[in-house]
Every structure is written in C-alpha cells, then in structure tokens.
Amino acid sequence: ALVVEDVVVPRRWTFVRGSPPSLDTPAYRYPTLAMASQVLAVCGLGVAQAAIDYVVDEAGSAPSITGAPPLADRPHAHLRLGEMEAALRSARAWFYEVTENAWVRLRGGDPATQEETVDLRLASTHAARVGAQVARGCFQVCGTIGIYEHNPLSRYVADAAVVAQHAFIAEGSFLSAGKILAGHPPAPGFP
C-alpha cells in the first residue's frame, strides 16, 4: 500500500473510479474493467509459463520414484507438453492481439468500441482459464513429485486457479460476452 501524509495531491492527479478521466491520454481512455481483467489474466499466463518451464527444466530429467523413465523420456509427457504449450501460446496470442487492436484505437484518440472491450474481457477470461488448465496439467503430468512441499507446482496450480476465480474473469464473463454477441444489451458492469 502507498501512504502519503501531509502532502497535497493536485486534483488533476486524482480520479474517482467510474467517473470521467481527468487526463486525456490513451491509458486514461482504456476501458477500466477490461484493464483490471487483463492485469489479472496476464498473471495467470505467467504462472502457467512458469509451470511449463518447471516441467521442461526441472522435472524433465528427474528420476521417477517408481523407477519409470524420467518424464523427458515418456511419450504421454511429450503429448501433454505439446498440448499445453499450444494452448498457452494461443491464449497469449489472442490476448495480445486484442490488446494491440484496442491500443491502436486509443492512441488515435478514439475510445475503444464495445466490440473491442468485449474482446478484451473475453480474451482475458479465456487466458485466465487456459492458464489454470495449463498449470494443473503440468502438475498432473509430473505425477507424485508435484505434491512434495518443496515443489513449486502446487503453488502454481493454486495461483493460477485464484486468477481464474476472480469475479472480473470468472465464468460470468463468458455469459456476458455471449449475451452481447447474440445482440442483447450488456449486463451492468460489462463490458
């Protein structure tokens, strides 16, 4: 937390959530809830990448407690790693694609359209869900080593799940986006 005592903050540097922006810059024109959703979702993407990196770097050569070949030599692990990498890269690509589309419009001085804002929320929700699925998939593919207290995979699974549970990017976002895509008015607070 940031605490400021005995300092006057100029009014132009303050804001009230939901009120018009006090500065006219692209960042202040950015849809507020979409930005909040993106901040959360990108954390989930990072956690999922850390989980994949752990599997590849650490668990890939670790001996099995059952005497089975190392994970790096198991075909099912190859399949799962390929699937998880593809899912994570796809979610990340869409996330950054819609971010760039909105940012170009905002830099040009225009507000984001409803369609762009829905895309931002939808891509964020999807990214959060994929991040949680990938972290859990890494935990599962590693087997028993993932449950050890010193192993980071348990934490990755929990952290990614927390991101996907947040109200801004939980399942209700899919429902609200689908409602708009079907031609209905947006729900309060969405997009």
Side-chain angles (χ1 to χ4, degrees):
L2 176 66
V3 177
V4 179
E5 293 182 21
D6 300 322
V7 175
V8 176
V9 177
R11 186 166 183 81
R12 70 179 192 277
W13 288 105
T14 64
F15 71 96
V16 176
R17 188 170 147 187
S19 66
S22 56
L23 298 174
D24 187 24
T25 67
Y28 281 81
R29 285 191 296 273
Y30 209 92
T32 307
L33 292 178
M35 183 182 286
S37 300
Q38 288 183 289
V39 167
L40 296 164
V42 79
C43 292
L45 292 173
V47 170
Q49 186 63 60
I52 288 176
D53 292 347
Y54 175 81
V55 172
V56 170
D57 296 340
E58 302 292 328
S61 60
S64 169
I65 63 169
T66 64
L71 197 59
D73 296 337
R74 298 183 205 171
H76 84 280
H78 303 159
L79 174 66
R80 294 291 295 149
L81 273 172
E83 290 171 339
M84 290 184 291
E85 184 71 20
L88 184 60
R89 285 188 189 192
S90 297
R92 187 185 301 127
W94 186 32
F95 178 87
Y96 285 113
E97 175 189 327
V98 299
T99 301
E100 178 64 21
N101 291 344
W103 191 245
V104 166
R105 176 179 295 282
L106 294 167
R107 278 193 351 229
D110 296 320
T113 65
Q114 178 176 286
E115 181 181 348
E116 287 167 333
T117 305
V118 169
D119 284 351
L120 291 167
R121 295 287 305 272
L122 198 53
S124 296
T125 301
H126 178 68
R129 179 175 280 185
V130 168
Q133 291 168 343
V134 166
R136 178 142 176 83
C138 288
F139 178 83
Q140 290 172 325
V141 80
C142 282
T144 306
I145 66 167
I147 65 173
Y148 293 149
E149 188 175 322
H150 69 278
N151 191 295
L153 285 174
S154 295
R155 185 65 197 201
Y156 296 154
V157 170
D159 289 348
V162 166
V163 169
Q165 286 295 109
H166 195 284
F168 289 166
I169 49 180
E171 197 162 76
S173 291
F174 286 124
L175 176 68
S176 295
K179 182 178 177 182
I180 292 169
L181 292 169
H184 295 282
F190 194 94

